[in-house]
Amino acid sequence: YGLNMGLVGVGSDNARGIFDDIVVQALPPQTTYDATDDFATGSGQFTGASRGTWSTSGGRLAGTAGSEPATRLMDLPVRAAGGTTTSIDTTVRLSAGGSGGLVFDHYADNDYKFLTLDQASGQVVIGHVVRNKRVVDATFAATLPAGSDLRVALTLSGTTITVWVGG
């Protein structure tokens, strides 16, 4: 039986065996979901649950927060088991002193991960919310001019996140 049957093993027969640096890898299945939205006709792909007030105007989706951050979710298709890489590429425009960003790995309103561009502090904040407690995992300084379009690219691969802001 080969590896395609799901069996892997090592052994020795009436002898001493030493094994070192054994790696077995299985490639994840190839799945692709592409969605592009210009917000010309409403909130488009963002049809999932939302908090706060949301509107579209001039090809932009804008959110206004209340006592909690405004969020608007996109319902994605179920990924095949083993799919481990997700990429998001978007453009964000911040008002003076404003903040905005992305929610990812959303399980519930009190259990998700986030990336925030905070124009007032000039920081990119990566963190998570668990049981309604906001935890900051990492921050880095970035130039975030008010009223300018900022390209934000986010790649999730396994447990690693890679973020590009403004190129």
Side-chain angles (χ1 to χ4, degrees), residues 25-143:
Q25 295 179 323
L27 295 175
Q30 295 295 317
T31 60
T32 300
Y33 174 75
D34 275 329
T36 301
D37 207 325
D38 61 6
F39 301 114
T41 58
S43 57
Q45 305 287 331
F46 290 86
T47 58
S50 66
R51 290 190 307 189
T53 304
W54 290 89
S55 63
T56 55
S57 176
R60 295 185 182 275
L61 178 64
T64 304
S67 60
E68 297 187 14
T71 57
R72 184 92 188 226
L73 302 178
M74 176 188 287
D75 287 326
L76 298 174
V78 177
R79 291 193 329 183
T84 58
T85 301
T86 301
S87 295
I88 301 166
D89 195 341
T90 189
T91 302
V92 176
R93 179 180 286 184
L94 302 173
S95 58
S99 65
L102 303 166
V103 169
F104 57 97
D105 275 354
H106 183 277
Y107 301 104
D109 284 343
N110 64 355
D111 187 8
Y112 59 88
K113 297 177 182 107
F114 64 88
L115 175 133
T116 301
L117 306 177
D118 188 343
Q119 198 273 330
S121 68
Q123 288 190 324
V124 176
V125 180
I126 301 166
H128 65 279
V129 172
V130 62
R131 292 186 290 284
N132 289 322
K133 182 179 177 191
R134 185 176 191 260
V135 178
V136 173
D137 297 313
T139 62
F140 61 90
T143 302

